[in-house]
Amino acid sequence: MFKFLYHYSSLRNFYFFSEKLLPFLLITFVCLVTYSIYGALISAPADYQQGDSFRIIYVHVPSAWMSLLIYMVMGLSSVSVLVWKIKLAEITLSAVAPIGAVFTLIALVTGSIWGKPMWGTWWEWDARLTSELVLLFLYLGVIALLNAIDDRRTGARSASILCLIGIVNIPIVHYSVEWWNTLHQGPTVSKFSSPSIHIDMLIPLLTMTVAFMLYCLIISLYRIRTMILVYDKDSQWVKNVITDNREQI
Amino acid sequence: MTEFLSMGGYAGYVWSSYTITFGIMTLLYVHTKRKEGKYLRWLRRHLASLEK
């Protein structure tokens, strides 16, 4: 396991490994997102209380889950930056932070759009909404720190510390609906033993979530690969990639 | 078809959510690919300057 991780934490090995992985991920994503949109808008029945407005769940919930998942990936990268000083972790931290911020913004905007017809308001300062907004500010803070410091390694270390401090917000976002009386509804899917959502509605939600995960992975890999080339620009293998002399690698 | 598009009276909310989500995702993909192209061109110029 450690041998595998050590092998792929090398920038060069990761670059060529991800090159092989990307076409497969792209094809799977296109198939899955097409099926999920069909399931979300056509095959899933309307909710008995919320009517068709509940279909917003298929973009809102996967976006919210991605905002949490990406922050956890950043947390792991931060530990790797601070403890093992792994270059790939520094690059991953910078590459995924904007993606996480985008999905947090999508979750907030679609949640607000869903809130208007259901709650009668675009925004409410309840625990779930506020903690998700704090998450957006944490993402923006990490991005700002990464860009504010000229020395890349110092910037990555500072951003890692902020990221690890902010990780305390993740359980707050997740459990806010249980710990406090909130306008936001309680968990419906995360109770895997007995989800309070019908299977016909649940399947498109799960496939859409996997599609969003694949999308995040694809965009992350593109960004990481570009950053690797810039980071290692003076090495021979990057020169070979740029001049397309792959046979020399 | 009209019934599908009206989304039970919630068309504005449902369609705007989907448009915003997939619109932003498309923009992010396009931005990422353009940035990749920009850096590759910059790296080619960097490499050419080293060879001179």
Side-chain angles (χ1 to χ4, degrees), chain A residues 40-41 50 52-53 55-56 58-59 102 106 110 113 117 215 222-223 226 229-230 233-234 239 242-243, chain B residues 4 7-8 10 13-15 17-18 20-21 24-25 28-29 32-33 36 39-40 42-44 46-47:
Chain A
L41 293 172
Q50 301 191 18
D52 283 308
S53 76
R55 295 183 197 280
I56 297 172
Y58 295 106
V59 287
V102 162
I106 293 174
T110 54
I113 294 171
Y215 173 86
Y222 278 132
R223 289 176 60 84
T226 305
L229 290 181
V230 176
K233 64 181 182 297
D234 295 320
K239 288 174 187 167
I242 298 302
T243 51
Chain B
F4 169 69
M7 282 286 158
Y10 295 107
Y13 301 106
V14 175
W15 293 118
S17 296
Y18 278 75
I20 288 169
T21 304
I24 290 177
M25 285 169 75
L28 182 60
Y29 178 80
T32 304
K33 292 300 285 178
E36 184 187 37
Y39 275 111
L40 282 175
W42 177 81
L43 282 166
R44 276 194 200 102
H46 171 75
L47 193 61

Side-chain angles (χ1 to χ4, degrees), chain A residues 15-246:
Chain A
Y15 185 88
F16 291 112
F17 173 68
S18 61
E19 189 172 41
K20 288 177 196 148
L21 205 62
L22 271 166
F24 167 75
L25 292 176
L26 270 169
I27 293 166
T28 316
F29 166 71
V30 171
C31 296
L32 215 52
V33 83
T34 310
Y35 167 78
S36 304
I37 290 173
Y38 171 80
L41 293 172
I42 297 166
S43 75
D47 184 72
Y48 80 107
Q49 276 186 325
Q50 301 191 18
D52 283 308
S53 76
F54 105 97
R55 295 183 197 280
I56 297 172
I57 199 174
Y58 295 106
V59 287
H60 172 68
V61 170
S63 304
W65 282 346
M66 289 312 108
S67 71
L68 299 178
L69 180 71
I70 292 173
Y71 202 88
M72 287 192 278
V73 170
M74 282 169 55
L76 284 174
S77 301
S78 298
V79 171
S80 306
V81 167
L82 294 171
V83 179
W84 297 293
K85 298 180 175 64
I86 297 173
K87 281 185 207 166
L88 185 61
E90 287 175 20
I91 293 172
T92 304
L93 186 66
S94 336
V96 302
I99 305 170
V102 162
F103 276 98
T104 310
L105 186 67
I106 293 174
L108 284 168
V109 172
T110 54
S112 180
I113 294 171
W114 196 4
K116 183 63 182 165
M118 292 301 111
W119 303 337
T121 179
W122 296 103
W123 184 264
E124 182 66 38
W125 291 101
D126 91 342
R128 172 58 69 83
L129 277 70
T130 309
S131 55
E132 187 74 10
L133 184 65
V134 169
L135 184 65
L136 177 64
F137 291 145
L138 281 167
Y139 273 119
L140 296 179
V142 169
I143 294 167
L145 257 182
L146 283 165
N147 291 299
I149 300 170
D150 285 338
D151 180 52
R152 194 181 314 214
R153 302 213 89 164
T154 312
R157 278 200 295 275
S158 311
S160 298
I161 292 167
L162 174 63
C163 179
L164 287 177
I165 293 168
I167 213 149
V168 74
N169 189 47
I170 298 299
I172 295 176
V173 175
H174 185 73
Y175 292 108
S176 55
V177 289
E178 292 176 21
W179 292 344
W180 292 285
N181 251 335
T182 62
L183 193 56
H184 195 283
Q185 69 186 61
T188 48
V189 184
S190 54
K191 301 179 292 176
F192 278 111
S193 53
S194 56
S196 51
I197 179 171
H198 192 270
I199 191 76
D200 291 343
M201 297 169 168
L202 181 63
I203 289 172
L205 182 59
L206 296 179
T207 54
M208 189 73 95
T209 303
V210 177
F212 274 41
M213 283 169 79
L214 287 174
Y215 173 86
C216 290
L217 187 58
I218 290 164
I219 299 293
S220 303
L221 287 179
Y222 278 132
R223 289 176 60 84
I224 290 169
R225 283 163 55 82
T226 305
M227 287 179 181
I228 283 176
L229 290 181
V230 176
Y231 201 104
D232 238 4
K233 64 181 182 297
D234 295 320
S235 64
Q236 189 55 46
W237 75 268
V238 172
K239 288 174 187 167
N240 292 341
V241 167
I242 298 302
T243 51
D244 286 328
N245 290 330
R246 299 292 176 95

